[in-house]
Amino acid sequence: MLLEVETKLEENPVVIEYVTNVGIILLVIFITIISLIWCFKLIESIYIDYIGGKPLFRHLYYRVKDLKSNQKRILESQFKFYNTLSAKERRYFRHRVHKFLNTTEFVGKDGVIITDQHRVLIAATAIMLTFGYRDYAIKLVDKILIYPSSFYSNLDKAYHKGHFNPGFRAVILSWEDFLIGYKIDDDNLNLGIHEFIHALHLSYLKAEYKNEVTAYLFLRGLEAVMDYINSNAVCKNKIRNSDYFREYAFENDFEFVAVLIESFIETPSEFKTQFPEIYDRVKQMLNFNFKGY
């Protein structure tokens, strides 16, 4: 019986024509979508390289999510950057924090009981650093480990306040030191910012992410910063002799980038006064066009 039906369908020219037309329509739709995506990427790359130096847009969401009322209060009372944003920007910021909270595992260590304060403040730190980008996910992070204070690492047999482990896809933080980073907000020392910048930097260097717009903006901006410093002996000497960047910045290039952005976030006015050319390049690198920067 089934064979007879199939045979009739195959012999029916109307059915054959219909199936053929549907196939052609689907193929045309597919090719159109691919073409539109390719054209958008081409236009945006031209815009970034020759006109605006930033993405064509930062926010595009199917549905904007929001935080619970107590989570909002934590942002309002404990996260200064959030309060400098416009009402629309705060709404988008909360959406991104909501997304981070729902895609990231938080693990308390050595007796730490995870609360909304842990989750919201740490998520807000990560979101702040990528708020200038459209693609705000930190691809190499899906876990946050929180210790009450400095913790011992079996990797190097030493105590740490913070660490990023790309193999484990985890940012590891001392909660005590994380809070100090925000309690003292003008010493250019912020543990959360420092470790998340390591995570961002290494994420953008991964081959599978390197050609994405966000990675391109970050790495191109960083290259501009380093080229300027390395080609300017006066600037290089000023950086080394200045007390503005702490000594740890000169451990290696990764630490320099982390300290550079810590300083940019915490004391933008002083940074701009002392090193205006570097400040402008970091601002463009992060697309950080927000009040106070």
Side-chain angles (χ1 to χ4, degrees):
M1 181 69 179
L2 180 60
L3 182 61
E4 291 178 4
V5 172
E6 290 178 346
T7 302
K8 288 179 180 179
L9 288 174
E10 290 174 359
E11 292 175 352
N12 190 327
V14 175
V15 173
I16 293 173
E17 183 180 2
Y18 174 78
V19 171
T20 302
N21 289 340
V22 169
I24 292 172
I25 290 170
L26 291 175
L27 180 61
V28 170
I29 292 172
F30 176 76
I31 292 173
T32 301
I33 292 172
I34 295 299
S35 299
L36 288 172
I37 293 172
W38 183 86
C39 287
F40 172 77
K41 288 184 175 181
L42 177 62
I43 291 168
E44 186 167 58
S45 67
I46 293 171
Y47 180 76
I48 289 171
D49 284 332
Y50 301 108
I51 304 172
K54 59 184 179 181
L56 285 169
F57 59 88
R58 287 188 294 123
H59 301 289
L60 180 65
Y61 312 110
Y62 171 68
R63 182 183 173 192
V64 177
K65 303 292 182 66
D66 209 343
L67 297 173
K68 299 174 184 176
S69 57
N70 63 307
Q71 294 173 329
K72 288 183 191 179
R73 284 195 294 271
I74 291 170
L75 280 180
E76 291 165 355
S77 63
Q78 299 181 52
F79 205 76
K80 185 170 73 173
F81 175 77
Y82 172 79
N83 291 304
T84 67
L85 301 174
S86 68
K88 181 182 288 187
E89 287 173 332
R90 289 198 299 272
R91 184 166 173 250
Y92 291 147
F93 192 90
R94 294 196 306 271
H95 169 81
R96 292 186 176 194
V97 169
H98 181 281
K99 185 74 172 179
F100 188 96
L101 294 177
N102 281 274
T103 56
T104 308
E105 179 185 7
F106 287 78
V107 181
K109 307 291 287 185
D110 290 355
V112 170
I113 305 299
I114 300 297
T115 66
D116 270 341
Q117 186 190 28
H118 294 103
R119 287 160 46 82
V120 170
L121 292 182
I122 290 172
T125 300
I127 294 305
M128 172 177 64
L129 296 173
T130 60
F131 200 54
Y133 300 139
R134 183 170 62 248
D135 182 8
Y136 57 92
I138 304 176
K139 304 291 178 60
L140 287 183
V141 176
D142 54 31
K143 287 181 288 294
I144 309 294
L145 275 58
I146 307 172
Y147 285 84
S149 56
S150 297
F151 53 90
Y152 185 76
S153 171
N154 288 317
L155 292 175
D156 59 2
K157 311 301 181 185
Y159 281 90
H160 294 270
K161 295 178 180 179
H163 179 63
F164 170 57
N165 186 325
F168 194 49
R169 302 177 66 88
V171 169
I172 310 167
L173 300 167
S174 153
W175 183 241
E176 177 184 41
D177 294 287
F178 176 88
L179 288 178
I180 289 172
Y182 284 108
K183 185 177 181 180
I184 307 171
D185 62 1
D186 61 355
D187 62 351
N188 297 335
L189 182 60
N190 184 298
L191 178 66
I193 292 172
H194 191 95
E195 297 306 330
F196 274 116
I197 287 299
H198 284 326
L200 278 174
H201 193 176
L202 288 171
S203 293
Y204 296 151
L205 288 172
K206 293 282 286 185
E208 58 264 43
Y209 309 134
K210 208 168 185 178
N211 292 324
E212 294 180 358
V213 169
T214 299
Y216 176 70
L217 287 168
F218 184 92
L219 295 175
R220 188 188 71 162
L222 180 56
E223 183 180 6
V225 170
M226 301 311 294
D227 284 349
Y228 176 78
I229 294 172
N230 291 328
S231 64
N232 190 321
V234 174
C235 179
K236 186 181 287 190
N237 288 332
K238 185 179 178 182
I239 289 172
R240 291 293 313 196
N241 296 326
S242 170
D243 292 331
Y244 182 66
F245 299 113
R246 69 181 189 275
E247 193 62 31
Y248 193 56
F250 308 107
E251 289 282 313
N252 55 57
D253 287 347
F254 285 99
E255 298 302 343
F256 181 76
V257 173
V259 171
L260 189 76
I261 296 175
E262 277 178 281
S263 304
F264 175 86
I265 296 293
E266 289 221 332
T267 56
S269 296
E270 187 178 356
F271 195 149
K272 189 173 185 177
T273 299
Q274 292 205 39
F275 303 98
E277 296 85 359
I278 300 174
Y279 175 89
D280 288 341
R281 286 166 172 78
V282 174
K283 180 175 179 177
Q284 185 169 33
M285 178 174 81
L286 298 175
N287 193 29
F288 221 76
N289 299 304
F290 306 113
K291 185 178 179 180
Y293 292 92

